[in-house]
Amino acid sequence: MDEAQLAQVESLCETLYTGTSSNGESYSREEAQSRLLSLQSNASFIPQCQYILDRSKSQYALLVASNSLTELITTHWNNFTIAQRIDIRNYVLGYLANNGPTLQDFVTLSLIKLVCRITKLGWFDDPTHRELTEDVTKFLQATVDHCILGLQILNQLVDELNIATTGRTLTQHRKTSVSFRDLCLFKVFQLGLTTLKQLQTRQITCSSQRQEVILGGQALGLTVRCLNFDFIGTNPDESTEDVGTIQAPSNWRPVLQDPATIELLLDFYANTEPPRSNKAMEAVILICSVRRSLFPSDKEREAFLGRIIGGIRELLKNQTGLQHQDNYHQFCRLLGRLKANYQLSELVKTEGYLEWLELAARFTTQSIRNWQYSTNSIHYLLALWGRLVAAVPYVRPDTGAKGHVQALENHVLSVVECYIESMLGSVETVLRSDGALEDPLEDDGSLMEQMDRLPTISRFQYSSVAKLIVAKFDPLMDKYREIMQHLMTTSTDSAPPNIAQQAAILEGQ
């Protein structure tokens, strides 16, 4: 490739991504795409891609060259010798070290994907590929921009090794994934936490608020990715928010059990804004979901649970960060997840359980009353109460906090009463909003989630809840009959002006 050919490639790239060309040549986007795809057709085009990366000033040309290299490496992997693979890997890593901070984000991410793809495919070829974590540590120790770049590489590396690549068998993927888990993942997790600690203690000096936000976001993202790793090959469904048990290896215990880890994440949650704060809360949820067998004794597990309950109590008392929708949603997930991973017999023994129960009930009723902002989160709170009441028959009344069963009965009744009143009130609120508000009773997905949990909660106080429902609905039915009778016996002209709206409200209720 020469300068003239490079200029033509740059022109085609500009046409492809912007629809215009700076050198006056007229190509359609389809034609430009077709011609540029030829760079991905044969491994012999790798030198041309490298030439573009070395010489071009066009960010679009750099993106096309990087994407083409990724496709060529993936498709023609077996055509390269081990030495060639290492050369390409070192070239891209060196290119990122020298030019990464000055590149556009989309170019940087493409190059990072390329180096991580090479690392994955060559994992068992040579020890060099398994040393990427050590190589990236040099990025973390350089400038803040390089530190951000290093964290981006580690984030992509965890994703690359956790997600199967098209064209490779599941056996090949799991073999590489397990090796990465055993050799590197814990160190990557520690690097994420260390960066967060350095940010918290101001050991890393950022030149701007934006730089600090990006760095914190990358470190938190890395922490979450490591905890979300498919440790045992269960291929969890990523389309759901439900967190299963985190099957962290035993050598992770000292860090996960360390009180400083939860404190660090809760501190980040309390002192940052979304998306960093809700990412920190997501990490807390995952740590709360670690497998029971990770703890060598019940005493250590109880101490761990006690720290979590204590942290939640403080957040509930101070309403920390809950004014933000994303934080609020993640906090509801944390409450919903708590009983799924811990037995009621363990919860009632924790210090401050009754206070936590009261605060959780208050938070639940407050959330239900503000249904306009919490429709997609209420089912997590109802899941908490459903799991608590379902476990009561298996816990002796004299276990743990005194009077915990009676306290639960009282709080459950208040939650159910609040839910019924709020949903009845929502009918009138929605109708009077003239379409400005969405009807929570017509949101089939959220409503189904709530209805799945409500019967379990209601049966716990069956008699009281039944009386409550009758007390609420009988007067509504009487009023509805009265209005209908009035409409049938009088002319429309003489009827009160709002009679139709009243009828619609009662029908909805």
Side-chain angles (χ1 to χ4, degrees):
M1 180 175 283
D2 55 28
E3 291 295 330
Q5 291 172 315
L6 176 61
Q8 187 179 29
V9 168
E10 289 177 341
S11 175
L12 290 168
C13 292
E14 194 171 350
T15 299
L16 177 62
Y17 288 105
T18 68
T20 60
S21 176
S22 58
N23 65 1
E25 294 186 17
S26 178
Y27 298 107
S28 67
R29 276 184 165 162
E30 291 76 15
E31 186 179 359
Q33 183 179 32
S34 176
R35 296 183 67 170
L36 289 170
L37 281 174
S38 63
L39 287 171
Q40 303 179 10
S41 62
N42 194 290
S44 62
F45 282 104
I46 285 180
Q48 282 89 327
C49 293
Q50 291 178 325
Y51 184 92
I52 295 169
L53 289 172
D54 290 334
R55 302 292 184 88
S56 180
K57 302 297 182 186
S58 166
Q59 298 291 319
Y60 298 126
L62 296 178
L63 176 62
V64 167
S66 177
N67 287 343
S68 298
L69 275 174
T70 303
E71 183 63 28
L72 288 169
I73 290 293
T74 306
T75 307
H76 303 284
W77 180 255
N78 292 327
N79 294 350
F80 301 101
T81 65
I82 292 176
Q84 286 174 323
R85 296 167 182 173
I86 294 173
D87 286 343
I88 297 171
R89 176 244 192 215
N90 291 340
Y91 167 79
V92 179
L93 206 55
Y95 187 90
L96 281 168
N98 295 326
N99 304 294
T102 64
L103 298 171
Q104 291 280 356
D105 288 344
F106 56 82
V107 179
T108 304
L109 292 174
S110 179
L111 287 165
I112 288 172
K113 183 178 179 181
L114 170 58
V115 77
C116 292
R117 179 63 54 82
I118 294 170
T119 300
K120 177 179 183 175
L121 296 177
W123 189 259
F124 294 109
D125 286 351
D126 188 274
T128 303
H129 294 294
R130 300 191 289 276
E131 294 169 0
L132 182 60
T133 306
E134 284 73 20
D135 292 333
V136 170
T137 305
K138 299 170 186 174
F139 284 76
L140 303 181
Q141 296 167 350
T143 67
V144 175
D145 284 333
H146 280 90
C147 186
I148 292 171
L149 195 60
L151 291 173
Q152 287 178 309
I153 294 172
L154 293 175
N155 271 290
Q156 180 61 38
L157 182 65
V158 175
D159 274 350
E160 188 70 43
L161 272 295
N162 195 35
I163 301 170
T165 302
T166 304
R168 284 168 62 85
T169 66
L170 186 59
T171 302
Q172 288 174 314
H173 166 66
R174 283 307 304 165
K175 185 179 178 184
T176 309
S177 181
V178 167
S179 177
F180 172 73
R181 178 200 68 191
D182 295 341
L183 297 175
C184 304
L185 186 60
F186 183 50
K187 182 174 183 180
V188 172
F189 178 59
Q190 288 177 303
L191 287 172
L193 291 176
T194 300
T195 305
L196 289 175
K197 187 66 178 177
Q198 290 173 336
L199 274 173
Q200 184 193 47
T201 56
R202 299 295 175 187
Q203 293 178 41
I204 297 177
T205 306
C206 297
S207 61
S208 66
Q209 178 67 22
R210 178 179 177 275
Q211 212 176 40
E212 185 176 333
V213 168
I214 294 172
L215 191 61
Q218 289 293 331
L220 286 165
L222 183 60
T223 303
V224 169
R225 277 181 171 85
C226 290
L227 290 167
N228 257 328
F229 196 81
D230 187 7
F231 292 101
I232 57 173
T234 53
N235 295 310
D237 181 6
E238 295 183 357
S239 65
T240 177
E241 283 189 324
D242 288 339
V243 178
T245 301
I246 303 302
Q247 301 289 343
S250 297
N251 63 319
W252 289 45
R253 183 191 304 125
V255 173
L256 295 176
Q257 200 174 326
D258 187 353
T261 302
I262 285 285
E263 288 173 11
L264 174 64
L265 293 169
L266 289 176
D267 181 74
F268 250 86
Y269 167 79
N271 295 298
T272 59
E273 300 285 313
R276 287 176 296 163
S277 53
N278 57 281
K279 210 66 174 172
M281 182 55 67
E282 189 177 350
V284 172
I285 294 170
L286 292 166
I287 289 178
C288 290
S289 303
V290 295
R291 59 188 172 90
R292 297 177 63 88
S293 54
L294 186 72
F295 301 91
S297 69
D298 289 342
K299 184 178 179 181
E300 289 181 312
R301 181 174 166 82
E302 287 169 8
F304 179 75
L305 176 58
R307 288 192 292 272
I308 294 170
I309 291 289
I312 292 174
R313 280 206 323 269
E314 289 304 309
L315 293 178
L316 283 170
K317 278 195 281 191
N318 301 319
Q319 295 288 294
T320 310
L322 297 177
Q323 71 275 19
H324 297 293
Q325 184 73 28
D326 292 338
N327 289 351
Y328 169 83
H329 182 70
Q330 293 295 345
F331 188 74
C332 290
R333 288 185 63 208
L334 173 62
L335 287 175
R337 183 62 202 164
L338 198 62
K339 175 58 189 73
N341 211 45
Y342 298 92
Q343 295 176 3
L344 182 58
S345 58
E346 295 171 317
L347 288 169
V348 297
K349 292 177 184 176
T350 57
E351 183 181 347
Y353 167 74
L354 291 179
E355 183 189 9
W356 170 83
L357 194 67
E358 181 181 352
L359 289 167
R362 194 183 305 162
F363 176 74
T364 301
T365 54
Q366 181 184 350
S367 299
I368 293 171
R369 288 192 187 102
N370 295 301
W371 53 265
Q372 300 99 316
Y373 314 104
S374 59
T375 303
N376 294 327
S377 307
I378 288 175
H379 68 274
Y380 291 115
L381 301 175
L382 295 180
L384 167 67
W385 294 102
R387 287 166 178 153
L388 286 172
V389 301
V392 168
Y394 307 101
V395 179
R396 289 168 57 93
D398 57 350
T399 301
K402 185 178 180 181
H404 66 86
V405 176
Q406 186 177 6
L408 185 59
E409 289 173 349
N410 295 335
H411 293 316
V412 162
L413 193 58
S414 69
V415 167
V416 175
E417 183 176 9
C418 179
Y419 182 85
I420 293 171
E421 287 179 351
S422 295
M423 291 303 104
L424 288 173
S426 73
V427 176
E428 182 172 357
T429 304
V430 170
L431 279 172
R432 294 190 187 280
S433 73
D434 291 327
L437 291 176
E438 292 186 10
D439 189 346
L441 300 176
E442 289 187 359
D443 184 347
D444 290 342
S446 295
L447 191 62
M448 189 66 69
E449 294 264 20
Q450 294 166 22
M451 290 299 106
D452 283 345
R453 291 161 173 78
L454 207 59
T456 303
I457 302 171
S458 300
R459 278 195 295 270
F460 184 62
Q461 288 284 78
Y462 189 88
S463 177
S464 300
V465 171
K467 291 175 183 176
L468 176 66
I469 291 174
V470 170
K472 296 289 181 186
F473 280 87
D474 277 0
L476 290 174
M477 182 58 71
D478 292 341
K479 194 172 182 181
Y480 182 69
R481 286 199 192 99
E482 182 183 326
I483 286 180
M484 288 295 104
Q485 183 112 15
H486 184 74
L487 286 172
M488 292 171 66
T489 57
T490 60
S491 67
T492 308
D493 294 336
S494 62
N498 63 344
I499 192 76
Q501 188 177 57
Q502 287 181 25
I505 291 169
L506 288 167
E507 282 180 1
Q509 292 174 329

